[in-house]
Amino acid sequence: MRGGMMMTHVSFAAFWLFMTVLLAVIELSTLGLITIWFAFGAAVTIIVALLGGNIWVQLFTFIIVSTVILLTVRPIATRHFNNHIKKTNIDAVVGRKLIVKATIDNIKGTGKVDMDGSTWLAASSIDEVVIEEGTEVRVVRVQGAKLIVEREV
């Protein structure tokens, strides 16, 4: 019977090893800093399985270790990894300062700005405000193919 119990511990350890690898592969494909913490929990649970912990002790270990690491280490890791992400596409436009190329008048439906050598349709964020040609503006949002701007102060 002792040999059978040892085989069960090895089987559970193999399961947790499989889970560790699977969760690590998922993390590598998504880079969301979510599943890696569960991979650590599964890795610690391998040791518990090899030491003979029953399935409930293994599950408890997996849940506690994963949760503690997720709640304590993830915020720190997120701060360090996500500070190098560069805004792209539309996200990069919001907040930019541009020069009005053609007077922006929402009532007349006119307005253009120059951005990186391209001319974009523009509208004021406040309907009654007319922004004259040559004025510096800041993009507050993008609405379709039109930049919504406000006068830079």
Side-chain angles (χ1 to χ4, degrees):
M1 186 72 177
R2 180 101 169 114
M5 286 183 69
M6 184 59 154
M7 187 59 180
T8 303
H9 298 314
V10 172
S11 298
F12 281 130
F15 168 77
W16 291 112
L17 177 61
F18 170 77
M19 290 302 295
T20 302
V21 172
L22 177 66
L23 291 165
V25 167
I26 291 170
E27 181 62 38
L28 288 173
S29 66
T30 63
L31 297 176
L33 289 178
I34 296 291
T35 58
I36 192 66
W37 315 117
F38 295 99
F40 282 120
V44 170
T45 307
I46 292 169
I47 298 166
V48 172
L50 289 174
L51 292 175
N54 69 34
I55 188 65
W56 297 111
V57 172
Q58 293 174 40
L59 287 173
F60 181 77
T61 301
F62 173 72
I63 291 168
I64 294 300
V65 169
S66 298
T67 303
V68 167
I69 291 176
L70 175 71
L71 295 176
T72 57
V73 180
R74 185 177 188 270
I76 297 166
T78 302
R79 268 195 306 268
H80 291 290
F81 285 114
N82 289 344
N83 66 353
H84 300 296
I85 295 174
K86 186 176 181 178
K87 290 182 178 180
T88 58
N89 300 332
I90 295 305
D91 292 331
V93 174
V94 175
R96 287 200 49 191
K97 295 178 184 177
L98 307 171
I99 302 297
V100 175
K101 188 173 183 176
T103 300
I104 298 171
D105 186 335
N106 291 2
I107 305 219
K108 293 181 181 176
T110 62
K112 294 180 182 176
V113 293
D114 186 47
M115 182 173 64
D116 300 331
S118 297
T119 301
W120 286 67
L121 295 175
S124 173
S125 62
I126 304 170
D127 281 336
E128 303 81 35
V129 173
V130 175
I131 305 173
E132 298 297 326
E133 182 178 339
T135 304
E136 185 177 38
V137 293
R138 183 176 50 83
V139 178
V140 292
R141 71 180 183 277
V142 179
Q143 187 174 349
K146 188 180 286 188
L147 301 179
I148 309 303
V149 299
E150 59 186 30
R151 188 175 285 125
E152 185 62 22
V153 286

